[in-house]
Amino acid sequence: MDPALGPPEKMAEKRDELTPMMRQYHDLCARYDDALVLFQVGDFYEAFCGAAERTARLLEIALTSREDSTGEYPMAGIPIDNAESYIETLLEAGYRVAVADQVEEPGESPGVVERAVTRVITPGTLTEDELLASDDNNFVAALAGDPHSSGQTEDELALALLDVSTGDFLATSSSANETIADEVSRFDPSEAIVGPNAPTDLLPETCMVTPFDPNTFERERAEDTLSQYVRNPDALLASAVEISVCGALLAYAEYVRGGAHEGERGEDERSGGDDGDGANRGESADTSSEETRLEYITHLTRYDPREYLLLDAVALESLELFEPRAVQGREDATLVDVLDETACALGGRRLRDWIRRPLLEPRRIDARLDAVEELQSDVQTRESLHDDLRAVYDLERLIGRISRERANARDLRSLHDTLAVVPDVRENLADADCERLLDLHERLDPLADVRELIDGGIVSDPPIEITEGGIIADGYDEHLDELRSTARDGKQWIDDLEDRERERTGIDSLKVGYNSVHGYYIEVTNPNLESVPENYERRQTLKNSERFVTPELKEREDQIVGAEERADEHEYELFREIRRRIADEVERVQDLADALATLDALVSLADVAAQYDYCRPELLEHETGDDGSGLEIEIDGGRHPVVERTQESFVPNDAQLTPEQRLAIITGPNMSGKSTYMRQVAQIVLLAQVGSFVPATAARLTPVDRIFTRVGASDDIAGGRSTFMVEMDELATILEEADERSLVLLDEVGRGTSTADGLAIAQAITEHLHDDVGATTLFATHHHPLTELADDLESAFALHFEVERCDDDVVFHHDIAPGAATGSYGVAVATVAGVPDEVVERSRELVVDAAERDSGVSLEGGDGGERDDPTSAVASADGGESPVESRPSLGDEADADEVPADVADELRALDLAHLTPVEALTELDRLKRLLEE
Ligand code: ADP
């Protein structure tokens, strides 16, 4: 635990002597000892002692001190009004923050103002809109193994996931650690609590592990907690461990909600002033489970990872579903970016969930595709729906706030405005043909009762504050109307007073005014003071005038102020009652949100399909039987959904993969389009299984169970593994876990080691994938000898990208064709990339020399070229007739005296098989400079 957390030592030593307020702080720190307690004092949240020093440093705010009869304490405070941004910094620094609010008005009861922790803010349990991405979920996870585990690897592990801001709640389990690790990658929780026998190494570094009461994972206790939320959890969940993680996670969500039920009193009724010292009223509010229950968590979805296309962390990253790969650094370079035309946050999150969990069953996929097709072809309905959906607020988070009693009147109006468009949305779907849209039409409950309640109760443009009146509509409540009319009448009487008094006194300059200290007054300038009537009482003397009141004016004023105060209080009560009544409808609001989310995601898919000319994929059932289980992937004119958006013109390519021809060995020069092609095949498959149209002219495919990727070389420097280790590790996973329903993409296998080793490994892997695994595989390789495997292995075939040489330039056609490529054109690509001419020329010389010296690799036939080894380039690109062949070379005795011996030695010592192109060019450049010296 951080030494700055927990009760400050200085206070702990003399707890009983502390002032009541400091004792309160001490006790809250003791109770929330794993969090940094922010303690409301008037308009500020304060931290004291070690926590103050830490906070001041982190937030770059002033460190002050507070002195009382028991000593001096360092203190640092942040203004409540913009606490969110400071809290965000604390979270980023790895803290959990317990917000202790004043939960009563100063002076409401004798003694120190009562404070309670109204929320514990942690990365995984945020509910503050300002701290959350609107179009993505933010999950907290609970992970546990079997408490009676014998430590065997096949013991069951369970995972529960909860988005506290929306109420999304899921659970799963598996006896394979990798499966749970993959599910963790899929949902990417920002925080986790762990129970017994949970291997925390399954959690990524970005996930904060929070220690939490292990007893909450105990079967009976967990079941008790869970049964408050879910009817019959035993029937829904598959095992005791699943119950354990779900129960513990809910207990954690209750814990972070804090102990004070009336959250907004702390948040909104920010009464100023230090409360001073007085008698401590004892413990902060108790956290009984009834009080902390999160009413808006109403659904638990138990799922089996095998119901969805499995994408592990490596595949998620290399297919750039959600995050662009750092190397490219382009914006807009993710699949979700190009696919997201959603109109509201609900749809944005739904679409992400679909991309995260593509489907497997053609029937379910087709249900989505039917809807997308119908919306795609009906432009008018689609556009009209899109417009409607733009007016939809984030209902899930709204109802969460309403239920947690944190919503203000504007939130209720936002709910109203959303409900107001529902009839129109329904109307747009009234003539739908497909089942999914008809079903949505049925489910779109406009919640007319709730809408009327808000419309009748809340003014159309209410203020943010909920305690200062002006939020309840006229005519909603008789008593409120009376109070308002009293206040209004009083004000009218005062408005008329000026005229009456001018007439009565004959003083034309007499004025009636108001100030916040003295209230209403009658002002008379000095020259007219003689005409002041007897019943005027002097209040204030100014330079040129005097201010007076009359007993009648005072009486009216009291009447107005009294009525207004009572009206404000009454409004607050009425508002809370309306909010409670809406909270009772939480499930109906959530059902509506669910339907709107799905509709928005479907409209977005249809929109993209129409805008970018996608086609509907045809999903094939897997053939049953022993030998019918391979994949069929047939794509005509396929395009890469992301690259085509950033490219001026994109060359479409076909793909034909069948159980009989399932392993494609793809060769071609660097930059010719191999990686793009492989990823485009995988992304088209994935999009189809999401239920999206695909960038192609036609596509037929059997759903894929799992996509594996081994793409590009990336060092896991932080993890301390070399490129080669990372590569072998990823390959081991593929070889172990892939089967005949997997799609495997391999790029650059065997690159991190010597040519001979690399070649051997790549060949062995290809054979294994072909003979034993049976996975559908796209294998891009720079090892040309591997293309021979295409002839040797029954279900393998070769594809290649050809490029054309034009003078000194290389033209990439990005056009895939059957058969193997002839070479890899490294030096030519260096020319195009702008490497200086001298360096390129010298490369050409060395290419030829090396080719001649290295008799082990035949360049002439184009089958031994190292893709990144410049040696392959000229020989193959020029078909062996390099224009530089007659140029001086190191191996040529006649010219040897032109090259100093040391440079020649260095050149001979160069291990070309282990140099990257850039390293080779840099080395050449250095040697050339040596020659020129
Ligand atoms: P390789 O894997 O063969 O080195 P890439 O797939 O990385 O080549 O492609 C290199 C670049 O070529 C891409 O960044 C893209 O800009 C362009 N490219 C690839 N395929 C196509 C295509 N089919 N049409 C147009 N441009 C393409």
Side-chain angles (χ1 to χ4, degrees):
M1 192 173 62
D2 189 306
L5 303 182
E9 241 172 64
K10 195 172 163 190
M11 290 184 187
E13 285 161 10
K14 50 179 179 185
R15 179 191 174 276
D16 295 338
E17 294 161 29
L18 294 172
T19 62
M21 189 182 93
M22 291 312 254
R23 204 179 312 145
Q24 217 179 36
Y25 176 72
H26 166 277
D27 292 349
L28 286 172
C29 288
R31 187 157 168 183
Y32 292 89
D33 62 358
D34 59 351
L36 199 147
V37 174
L38 291 181
F39 188 78
Q40 185 187 3
V41 181
D43 292 337
F44 281 81
Y45 284 133
E46 303 285 358
F48 298 98
C49 300
E53 286 162 9
R54 185 63 57 93
T55 310
R57 209 167 32 245
L58 273 170
L59 302 181
E60 297 179 18
I61 54 173
L63 184 67
T64 55
S65 67
R66 174 194 163 92
E67 205 175 340
D68 62 30
S69 53
T70 67
E72 191 178 342
Y73 307 95
M75 173 168 100
I78 56 174
I80 292 179
D81 277 345
N82 52 19
E84 252 70 31
S85 64
Y86 290 109
I87 290 174
E88 191 171 12
T89 311
L90 293 172
L91 292 180
E92 278 165 8
Y95 286 95
R96 286 170 274 277
V97 177
V99 179
D101 281 306
Q102 295 176 184
V103 290
E104 63 176 6
E105 292 268 16
E108 193 175 311
S109 54
V112 68
V113 172
E114 185 163 339
R115 293 181 178 84
V117 168
T118 54
R119 57 206 163 126
V120 180
I121 305 179
T122 74
T125 61
L126 296 175
T127 52
E128 291 69 13
D129 265 359
E130 302 85 343
L131 304 180
L132 284 165
S134 65
D135 53 8
D136 213 351
N137 282 108
N138 180 41
F139 287 107
V140 55
L143 181 69
D146 184 345
H148 312 295
S149 159
S150 52
Q152 301 298 308
T153 43
E154 68 272 15
D155 279 337
E156 187 190 358
L157 265 184
L159 173 75
L161 295 143
L162 176 66
D163 183 333
V164 180
S165 70
T166 61
D168 286 316
F169 187 26
L170 303 122
T172 190
S173 64
S174 169
S175 56
N177 282 11
E178 305 79 50
T179 306
I180 294 299
D182 293 341
E183 292 311 302
V184 170
S185 312
R186 232 200 258 272
F187 290 96
D188 195 19
S190 44
E191 183 183 0
I193 55 167
V194 289
N197 291 321
T200 43
D201 58 350
L202 294 188
L203 300 168
E205 270 173 33
T206 49
C207 179
M208 178 199 248
V209 178
T210 299
F212 188 59
D213 181 2
N215 297 327
T216 55
F217 284 87
E218 272 169 20
R219 161 79 199 244
E220 268 177 34
R221 185 150 159 200
E223 196 166 351
D224 268 0
T225 317
L226 184 56
S227 52
Q228 290 183 47
Y229 291 83
V230 176
R231 264 167 251 122
N232 215 349
D234 270 331
L236 177 69
L237 294 175
S239 65
V241 196
E242 285 185 9
I243 291 178
S244 155
V245 285
C246 290
L249 192 54
L250 289 168
Y252 182 60
E254 289 177 353
Y255 162 80
V256 296
R257 189 202 179 171
H261 195 41
E262 296 185 1
E264 80 280 0
R265 290 181 66 90
E267 197 174 73
D268 298 320
E269 294 186 4
R270 287 164 196 147
S271 35
D274 192 339
D275 41 86
D277 297 339
N280 186 357
R281 294 184 356 116
E283 291 289 313
S284 56
D286 236 356
T287 51
S288 85
S289 62
E290 194 41 49
E291 213 172 52
T292 50
R293 198 167 95 83
L294 301 153
E295 317 270 347
Y296 63 100
I297 300 177
T298 57
H299 299 283
L300 168 62
T301 309
R302 198 268 159 192
Y303 78 97
D304 183 339
R306 286 168 301 191
E307 290 165 35
Y308 300 98
L309 167 64
L310 196 55
L311 297 157
D312 59 11
V314 179
L316 282 170
E317 191 197 324
S318 59
L319 293 177
E320 297 178 282
L321 299 191
F322 299 106
E323 296 288 335
R325 272 156 70 90
V327 274
Q328 291 177 335
R330 294 189 311 248
E331 279 192 29
D332 230 19
T334 66
L335 190 66
V336 71
D337 286 334
V338 301
L339 220 54
D340 187 0
E341 294 287 341
T342 54
C344 65
L346 296 171
R349 287 199 296 271
R350 178 59 41 93
L351 185 68
R352 276 163 186 75
D353 187 49
W354 286 0
I355 297 175
R356 204 180 279 135
R357 295 193 289 166
L359 302 171
L360 294 183
E361 273 179 57
R363 198 178 42 81
R364 290 178 71 190
I365 301 170
D366 275 327
R368 282 188 198 165
L369 286 171
D370 288 343
V372 174
E373 182 169 358
E374 194 171 324
L375 293 167
Q376 181 239 13
S377 58
D378 184 347
V379 188
Q380 210 181 344
T381 304
R382 187 177 75 237
E383 284 179 356
S384 168
L385 282 171
H386 192 82
D387 285 346
D388 287 342
L389 289 164
R390 262 210 286 262
V392 167
Y393 283 86
D394 193 340
L395 285 191
E396 286 175 332
R397 287 184 180 155
L398 262 182
I399 194 66
R401 275 207 294 284
I402 291 172
S403 170
R404 287 193 307 273
E405 303 197 341
R406 288 202 175 270
N408 60 28
R410 287 194 184 170
D411 289 327
L412 301 197
R413 278 316 300 198
S414 300
L415 172 59
H416 169 273
D417 295 349
T418 301
L419 298 179
V421 299
V422 176
D424 212 36
V425 178
R426 271 180 69 91
E427 182 64 34
N428 272 314
L429 292 176
D431 300 327
D433 288 328
C434 76
E435 218 172 285
R436 175 56 74 94
L437 294 181
L438 285 172
D439 174 56
L440 288 174
H441 177 255
E442 282 296 296
R443 285 172 49 205
L444 286 168
D445 172 1
L447 290 150
D449 48 339
V450 175
R451 186 177 153 202
E452 276 162 28
L453 173 63
I454 301 172
D455 208 24
I458 310 283
V459 298
S460 57
D461 188 16
I464 292 178
E465 294 295 332
I466 53 173
T467 51
E468 291 171 16
I471 51 179
I472 300 294
D474 281 335
Y476 176 73
D477 179 84
E478 224 173 279
H479 181 49
L480 177 65
D481 289 347
E482 272 168 27
L483 290 170
R484 281 178 173 167
S485 125
T486 309
R488 240 186 338 258
D489 290 351
K491 281 186 178 159
Q492 189 58 52
W493 184 89
I494 288 173
D495 282 351
D496 298 341
L497 182 66
E498 198 169 272
D499 286 347
R500 277 200 311 272
E501 290 301 297
R502 278 185 186 174
E503 202 173 311
R504 180 160 83 101
T505 60
I507 310 172
D508 286 347
S509 61
L510 178 146
K511 270 196 276 186
V512 173
Y514 177 83
N515 88 20
S516 55
V517 181
H518 299 285
Y520 289 100
Y521 57 78
I522 302 168
E523 190 174 295
V524 179
T525 51
N526 291 345
N528 294 304
L529 288 177
E530 282 154 28
S531 320
V532 163
E534 266 180 20
N535 68 337
Y536 277 28
E537 296 166 12
R538 196 178 311 257
R539 258 299 138 83
Q540 218 184 343
T541 304
L542 305 178
K543 198 169 154 215
N544 300 319
S545 59
E546 297 277 341
R547 287 178 176 174
F548 303 89
V549 291
T550 64
E552 244 183 325
L553 176 58
K554 214 56 227 142
E555 199 181 307
R556 290 287 177 166
E557 180 176 347
D558 289 347
Q559 216 175 47
I560 296 170
V561 172
E564 280 182 342
E565 268 174 14
R566 270 177 290 141
D568 288 355
E569 274 168 30
H570 191 51
E571 277 201 57
Y572 178 59
E573 283 313 317
L574 290 170
F575 169 74
R576 296 190 56 201
E577 187 200 307
I578 294 176
R579 193 172 59 184
R580 261 196 305 271
R581 282 171 61 192
I582 300 171
D584 287 343
E585 305 302 330
V586 56
E587 290 197 47
R588 286 169 69 206
V589 176
Q590 285 175 335
D591 286 347
L592 172 66
D594 184 63
L596 289 169
T598 299
L599 182 63
D600 192 21
L602 291 169
V603 171
S604 171
L605 291 178
D607 208 32
V608 173
Q611 265 191 71
Y612 299 97
D613 202 17
Y614 285 12
C615 76
R616 177 176 178 153
E618 184 185 342
L619 273 300
L620 309 170
E621 290 284 351
H622 279 282
E623 295 204 1
T624 44
D626 291 345
D627 52 355
S629 45
L631 300 174
E632 280 305 322
I633 299 174
E634 209 175 299
I635 299 167
D636 294 342
R639 286 136 32 215
H640 189 295
V642 182
V643 177
E644 78 161 336
R645 298 271 184 105
T646 56
Q647 206 80 10
E648 239 169 56
S649 65
F650 191 90
V651 181
N653 278 306
D654 300 344
Q656 277 279 354
L657 295 152
T658 61
E660 296 73 37
Q661 290 282 280
R662 61 172 184 266
L663 195 149
I665 298 174
I666 308 168
T667 46
N670 209 354
M671 294 298 285
S672 58
K674 300 184 298 299
S675 308
T676 307
Y677 177 74
M678 295 204 300
R679 286 173 214 219
Q680 116 190 359
V681 171
Q683 293 197 334
I684 287 174
V685 167
L686 189 140
L687 283 180
Q689 292 183 230
V690 163
S692 167
F693 278 25
V694 298
T697 49
R700 295 175 78 237
L701 51 104
T702 37
V704 166
D705 281 7
R706 184 160 180 181
I707 298 179
F708 289 94
T709 59
R710 151 90 288 267
V711 173
S714 63
D715 267 319
D716 178 10
I717 293 168
R721 298 181 309 163
S722 70
T723 309
F724 189 61
M725 267 307 287
V726 175
E727 178 177 344
M728 289 304 119
D729 207 40
E730 290 177 10
L731 280 171
T733 309
I734 297 176
L735 297 181
E736 204 170 296
E737 295 177 25
D739 62 22
E740 66 280 357
R741 289 197 186 180
S742 308
L743 174 63
V744 178
L745 309 189
L746 298 175
D747 197 353
E748 309 285 9
V749 169
R751 207 172 119 147
T753 184
S754 71
T755 313
D757 274 9
L759 191 59
I761 290 173
Q763 176 162 349
I765 284 169
T766 316
E767 288 172 1
H768 183 76
L769 280 169
H770 179 272
D771 300 342
D772 303 321
V773 176
T776 296
T777 307
L778 296 174
F779 191 166
T781 177
H782 57 283
H783 289 305
H784 286 251
L786 280 180
T787 52
E788 286 166 22
L789 278 176
D791 299 329
D792 300 344
L793 302 175
E794 196 191 340
S795 303
F797 64 106
L799 293 173
H800 76 285
F801 281 95
E802 207 48 86
V803 296
E804 203 182 320
R805 280 211 69 172
C806 246
D807 300 326
D808 265 350
D809 256 1
V810 182
V811 179
F812 294 105
H813 293 299
H814 302 303
D815 201 359
I816 202 156
T822 50
S824 63
Y825 304 77
V827 178
V829 174
T831 321
V832 179
V835 172
D837 288 351
E838 315 92 84
V839 179
V840 172
E841 274 314 306
R842 187 58 188 149
S843 312
R844 291 193 200 285
E845 293 169 22
L846 290 167
V847 161
V848 178
D849 292 348
E852 285 170 5
R853 271 190 298 112
D854 190 357
S855 54
V857 181
S858 158
L859 295 170
E860 291 284 330
D863 60 348
E866 280 293 315
R867 168 192 166 133
D868 295 317
D869 173 355
T871 55
S872 65
V874 176
S876 46
D878 294 343
E881 298 197 358
S882 164
V884 295
E885 247 181 3
S886 59
R887 299 279 298 275
S889 73
L890 289 175
D892 189 338
E893 282 302 318
D895 297 324
D897 58 353
E898 284 183 26
V899 181
D902 55 337
V903 178
D905 285 346
E906 283 203 44
L907 267 171
R908 282 197 189 91
L910 276 185
D911 179 3
L912 295 182
H914 287 95
L915 288 184
T916 65
V918 173
E919 283 165 354
L921 290 172
T922 316
E923 190 62 13
L924 279 175
D925 195 35
R926 186 179 68 80
L927 292 172
K928 189 157 185 283
R929 277 178 220 282
L930 283 179
L931 284 179
E932 284 164 358
E933 272 170 10

